[in-house]
Amino acid sequence: MADGQDTEIRAKFREMLEGSKDDWDIIAEHSRHFNKGLAARVINHLKLLDGDFGGFPVDRLTHSLQTATRAHRDGRDEEYVVCALLHDIGDTLGSYNHPDVAAAILKPFVSDANHWMVANHGMFQGYYFFHHLGLDRNMREQHRDNPYFEHCAQFCHLYDQSAFDPEYESEPLEFFVPMVERVFSRPKNSMYLRKAEE
Ligand SMILES: [Fe+2]
Ligand SMILES: [Fe+2]
C-alpha cells in the first residue's frame, strides 16, 4: 500500500496553522485517488453482513440483496436501487441507530427524498413489528406531514419488510457493484466540493 511508504510526497506542516497551498495540493491529490476507492470500500463493508442472521430468517446481506433486487425488478432507478442495497449497511456499527449510518454514507450522492427514506426507514419499518416488542407501531405518524412520508412508507412496504424470504432468488452482489460505482462517482452534496466540481 502506497500510504506509509517513505518515498511518498507528503504535506510538511506540523500543525494546520502552518499549512501552505502546496501542502493542500498534495493532500487534495491524494484525496482524489482515495475517493475513487470509496465504492469498493462500501461494498467491502456491506460484505460484513454476510452470514449475520441476528435471528432473522435470512442473513443481513441476503436481506440487502433481496431488497435491492425487488426494487430493481420493480423498475426503480439506479440511485434508488443502491439506496435499497445499502439501507442496512449500518447494522455493524450503528446497533442503536443503523439508518443514520447508511444515510450519512449516501447523503452526498442521492436526492433529498432518497436520503430521507434511508434515514427514516427504521421508524417506518417499525410499523411492521414494533407492536410485537411493546413499542408503538405508529411511531412513524410523527412524520405524517413530511413530503417524503409516502416515499419512505412505500420503500418499507414494497421492498424492505418483504425481503426476508429464504426462497427468493436475488441477484448476486456483483450485479449491483457497477451501480454502486456509478452512484458513488457523482457526489452532488458536500461541503468539500468546489462549485466547478459539482
Ligand atoms: Fe433497517
Ligand atoms: Fe432492511
Side-chain angles (χ1 to χ4, degrees), residues 125-139:
Q125 191 77 333
Y127 179 75
Y128 302 93
F129 70 92
F130 278 178
H131 48 299
H132 297 306
L133 299 176
L135 298 166
D136 177 11
R137 70 181 304 191
N138 293 310
M139 204 183 286

Side-chain angles (χ1 to χ4, degrees), residues 34-85:
F34 187 68
N35 293 351
K36 285 191 181 129
L38 178 58
R41 290 192 296 277
V42 167
I43 294 289
N44 278 337
H45 198 89
L46 187 68
K47 287 179 185 167
L48 295 177
L49 303 182
D50 191 11
D52 176 5
F53 283 80
F56 285 90
V58 297
D59 70 44
R60 288 180 161 116
L61 180 60
T62 301
H63 167 69
S64 301
L65 293 170
Q66 194 172 138
T67 305
T69 301
R70 287 179 183 280
H72 175 70
R73 289 177 184 164
D74 204 25
R76 297 289 177 171
D77 65 26
E78 187 161 279
E79 180 183 303
Y80 190 103
V81 170
V82 168
C83 287
L85 180 71

Side-chain angles (χ1 to χ4, degrees), residues 60 63-64 67 84 87-88 91 98 121 125 155 159-161 163-164:
R60 288 180 161 116
H63 167 69
S64 301
T67 305
H87 76 284
D88 281 337
D91 272 338
H98 78 272
H121 84 267
Q125 191 77 333
F155 168 74
Y159 314 122
D160 195 0
Q161 67 82 26
F164 296 93

Side-chain angles (χ1 to χ4, degrees), residues 123-192:
M123 190 181 289
F124 280 63
Q125 191 77 333
Y127 179 75
Y128 302 93
F129 70 92
F130 278 178
H131 48 299
H132 297 306
L133 299 176
L135 298 166
D136 177 11
R137 70 181 304 191
N138 293 310
M139 204 183 286
R140 67 182 189 171
E141 289 304 317
Q142 64 189 265
H143 296 299
R144 177 58 73 176
D145 295 333
N146 189 288
Y148 304 133
F149 184 97
E150 280 305 326
H151 189 60
C152 188
Q154 245 187 30
F155 168 74
C156 289
H157 190 74
L158 296 175
Y159 314 122
D160 195 0
Q161 67 82 26
S162 59
F164 296 93
D165 180 357
E167 308 298 322
Y168 187 87
E169 295 208 8
S170 294
E171 299 293 345
L173 183 55
E174 296 69 40
F175 177 83
F176 298 104
V177 168
M179 299 186 195
V180 175
E181 288 171 345
R182 281 191 290 269
V183 168
F184 278 79
S185 69
R186 295 191 293 261
K188 37 192 180 187
N189 310 304
S190 168
M191 66 178 170
Y192 297 110

